[in-house]
Amino acid sequence: MSEFDIVKNLANVCSRINAVCLKNGFDYKPRLVAVSKTKPKELIISAYESGQRHFGENYIQELTSKSHDPEILEKCKDIKWHFIGSIQRNKVNKLIDVPGLYLVETVDSEKLASALNSAWEKLKKPEPLKVFVQINTSGEEEKSGCPPDSSCDLVGYVINKCPSLKFAGLMTIGLLGYDMSNGPNPDFLLLRKCRDEVCSKFEMNTKDVELSMGMSGDFEHAIFLYIQIELGSTNVRVGTTIFGAREPKKKSESESN
């Protein structure tokens, strides 16, 4: 895929997001995270130069390489990296060393939260590290995330035991390929329920707790739900629709991240 295609695709996605918002009288634009995993730096730079600032990566090794690349450091000074993959605790130090790390979306256990908290504390940063708690709303064994009925416990741990972390919201991947003609995605509904329970228990305003859900195939649906019933996503993760199809990562490469 060429750099021109990236500019065109990014403009198309932004136009689709704007269209959903305008059609429904919604004056808030959800954050678009361009998922650039397995894609070369040239395409990231092209998207950045077109105005995109938030980028998501699934693999720590790949994020480390891209974020420290001299050309990205020079040309993308305000880039904001989101980590959206599984995290092995022995890779935490590599993750928090990423220049421009903005948000870790995949905190799924107390042990991981504690490791991130300790590592970030040692850096003596002026601001806490923003994190989302990941919920496995579909119950699939191959997906990461804490069980929905444990969401309040994990959020409470982050809030009360991890002063170097800032709880910012909830994230889910959900069941892929859901037929939206059947109504609202039940995984989205369940994430909203988790948010309501978290907000009730910790006396938080729902508007202060983000929901990260919706990808290339359903981001418009996720945004529409937010507009209609304050259910849907404030943070959509779109990769293939912007950067094109990805070649599957080799098993050995995936396990090293």
Side-chain angles (χ1 to χ4, degrees):
M1 183 168 287
S2 71
E3 295 174 28
F4 173 77
D5 290 328
I6 297 303
V7 174
K8 181 176 65 175
N9 292 345
L10 181 61
N12 176 259
V13 170
C14 290
S15 177
R16 289 166 64 182
I17 291 174
N18 289 335
V20 175
C21 296
L22 289 173
K23 181 179 179 180
N24 294 277
F26 193 45
D27 59 4
Y28 172 77
K29 182 179 178 181
R31 180 191 302 113
L32 170 63
V33 179
V35 180
S36 49
K37 65 178 181 180
T38 77
K39 297 301 180 179
K41 67 179 181 180
E42 290 79 10
L43 300 188
I44 295 173
I45 292 171
S46 180
Y48 183 93
E49 291 177 343
S50 296
Q52 181 63 25
R53 291 296 179 266
H54 293 264
F55 291 82
E57 289 287 339
N58 286 64
Y59 305 109
I60 291 177
Q61 184 174 320
E62 186 176 358
L63 174 56
T64 296
S65 175
K66 289 176 178 177
S67 65
H68 285 92
D69 183 89
E71 192 172 5
I72 287 183
L73 287 171
E74 178 186 354
K75 295 183 177 180
C76 309
K77 297 184 185 300
D78 193 36
I79 197 167
K80 295 176 173 58
W81 293 108
H82 292 231
F83 189 71
I84 59 175
S86 298
I87 309 170
Q88 298 175 6
R89 292 198 300 281
N90 63 349
K91 303 291 185 181
V92 163
N93 286 332
K94 283 188 175 182
L95 176 58
I96 58 96
D97 191 45
V98 166
L101 181 63
Y102 179 78
L103 202 155
V104 176
E105 297 200 19
T106 47
V107 174
D108 61 359
S109 70
E110 293 182 0
K111 289 182 178 179
L112 177 56
S114 181
L116 283 169
N117 180 72
S118 297
W120 195 255
E121 184 179 24
K122 291 176 182 177
L123 294 180
K124 299 187 183 301
K125 295 277 189 176
E127 299 293 334
L129 173 64
K130 292 181 181 179
V131 300
F132 287 165
V133 166
Q134 182 177 2
I135 311 297
N136 186 349
T137 53
S138 62
E140 297 170 273
E141 291 184 3
E142 65 272 22
K143 284 191 170 68
S144 300
C146 76
D149 58 6
S150 298
S151 58
C152 284
D153 292 337
L154 182 50
V155 170
Y157 185 86
V158 172
I159 292 173
N160 297 315
K161 302 294 184 178
C162 301
S164 292
L165 302 183
K166 168 65 176 176
F167 169 68
L170 303 176
M171 176 268 210
T172 194
I173 296 174
L175 184 67
L176 301 179
Y178 172 73
D179 184 354
M180 290 174 284
S181 67
N182 292 326
N185 188 319
D187 290 317
F188 293 176
L189 291 169
L190 183 52
L191 194 69
R192 194 279 299 267
K193 180 182 177 183
C194 290
R195 183 188 64 177
D196 289 347
E197 291 173 351
V198 164
C199 290
S200 176
K201 182 168 183 176
F202 299 104
E203 298 182 343
M204 304 174 72
N205 190 317
T206 56
K207 293 182 179 179
D208 295 329
V209 179
E210 293 197 49
L211 295 180
S212 177
M213 57 193 188
M215 297 185 287
S216 286
D218 57 9
F219 68 90
E220 289 161 303
H221 175 65
I223 296 168
F224 174 76
L225 289 177
Y226 185 84
I227 297 169
Q228 292 297 309
I229 52 178
E230 295 187 353
L231 159 68
S233 187
T234 58
N235 185 86
V236 293
R237 311 179 305 271
V238 181
T240 303
T241 304
I242 296 174
F243 292 105
R246 308 180 188 93
E247 293 184 6
K249 210 167 173 67
K250 295 179 181 178
K251 184 177 181 181
S252 60
E253 291 177 320
S254 298
E255 289 177 347
S256 67
N257 285 277

